[in-house]
Amino acid sequence: MITRFAMTNAWNYRRATNDDIVELASWRGAGSLALRPHFHDESQIVLVLSGSRAFRIDGATVTVPAGHAALIPAGMLHTPMATPGAETVCLNAYVPASRACSSLRIINVGDRWRSIDEISPKHIGEIANDTLSREPSRPAGCIDRAKLGTALTESVEPIGEIAASFGRSREGFSRMVRRELGVAPHTFRLLARLNLARQLLRAGEPIAAVAADAGFSDQSHLTRLFRHTFGTTPGVYWRD
């Protein structure tokens, strides 16, 4: 079974003991939080037991009602939207990108579970496999979003030089990145640094060191952006 969560009106993160799951996060509260646009290095399975979740993805609103699971692929920009009203109970499972499909998927999982504590790693694996079985073929000539993301995060070169490697002007490259990744190149790099901070915190690195290693000006700078993006502070995340 999954480690028992203390359910509060906040995102509650836990490390996973299963090799196929990187991390778990639970929410129980009136509606759910609105957060800044972001992406993850892992694929995110959003499993809603009651209430609903809503996201802004590729210019459209995607709603995940109770009894459904959404698979948000690694690297996909998404904006969690506030869903005021009825109590929402949700489990996020972050799994390696190779364990799930590379396109957005929403599937009906029914009402098999009454609480998050009844959901096992095996259940999460079944959901990931279900999304993989529905993976569509990639259209010919489609720009590889992963290649763009890799170029922006693994290179320390200025944006203009990266643009030239794609055969684009700086302005043309910025338009392409906005179209394919949803944000400007510099914003994408900032979100990648936040994901790096998350990895370092999971590894147990002190918060001040994480802020420096991930390229933030200081701990308070990291804390402010981390809270608005992931719904918790680095201190709370690190302790969990």
Side-chain angles (χ1 to χ4, degrees):
M1 302 296 286
I2 285 177
T3 302
R4 184 174 295 276
F5 286 90
M7 300 298 282
T8 60
N9 193 31
W11 279 107
N12 183 4
Y13 287 85
R14 287 287 184 275
R15 310 298 181 264
T17 57
N18 186 287
D19 290 341
D20 290 331
I21 304 172
V22 176
E23 186 173 67
L24 299 163
S26 67
W27 168 274
R28 180 176 181 175
S32 59
L33 285 176
L35 297 172
R36 288 182 175 177
H38 63 274
F39 61 85
H40 300 286
D41 293 333
E42 309 81 23
S43 292
Q44 176 182 352
I45 295 174
V46 181
L47 179 55
V48 180
L49 272 63
S50 67
S52 66
R53 296 288 310 282
F55 301 90
R56 194 72 178 168
I57 300 175
D58 287 341
T61 298
V62 176
T63 300
V64 189
H68 289 71
L71 187 286
I72 301 176
M76 176 173 281
L77 190 76
H78 57 285
T79 307
M81 302 171 65
T83 53
E87 181 182 68
T88 295
V89 177
C90 175
L91 177 70
N92 285 351
Y94 301 90
V95 302
S98 60
R99 290 281 296 117
C101 69
S102 59
S103 58
L104 179 68
R105 282 287 176 273
I106 298 178
I107 62 174
N108 189 332
V109 296
D111 56 355
R112 289 184 283 170
W113 306 292
R114 293 168 297 176
S115 73
I116 284 175
D117 295 324
E118 296 179 357
I119 304 169
S120 71
K122 179 181 178 182
H123 296 140
I124 292 172
E126 289 171 351
I127 294 171
N129 291 337
D130 196 358
T131 62
L132 267 176
S133 70
R134 302 166 189 239
E135 177 80 312
S137 59
R138 187 174 179 82
C142 185
I143 292 176
D144 191 341
R145 293 184 177 186
K147 184 178 179 181
L148 277 177
T150 299
L152 287 168
T153 55
E154 294 189 359
S155 172
V156 296
E157 299 296 332
I159 299 299
E161 294 189 20
I162 297 176
S165 72
F166 279 82
R168 304 290 181 102
S169 67
R170 181 187 175 95
E171 293 75 16
F173 180 73
S174 293
R175 288 194 296 271
M176 181 175 70
V177 171
R178 284 182 179 274
R179 182 179 68 249
E180 296 299 327
L181 302 181
V183 291
H186 286 296
T187 301
F188 188 90
R189 279 182 157 176
L190 173 61
L191 292 173
R193 284 162 47 209
L194 283 167
N195 280 319
L196 172 60
R198 194 160 164 164
Q199 292 176 20
L200 295 173
L201 288 166
R202 281 201 300 264
E205 189 169 328
I207 300 170
V210 169
D213 290 347
F216 294 93
S217 57
D218 53 32
Q219 184 172 327
S220 63
H221 183 211
L222 169 63
T223 296
R224 182 173 66 255
L225 292 174
F226 199 95
R227 183 179 65 249
H228 290 320
T229 304
F230 299 130
T232 190
T233 64
V236 172
Y237 182 87
W238 186 71
R239 287 196 299 272
D240 289 341

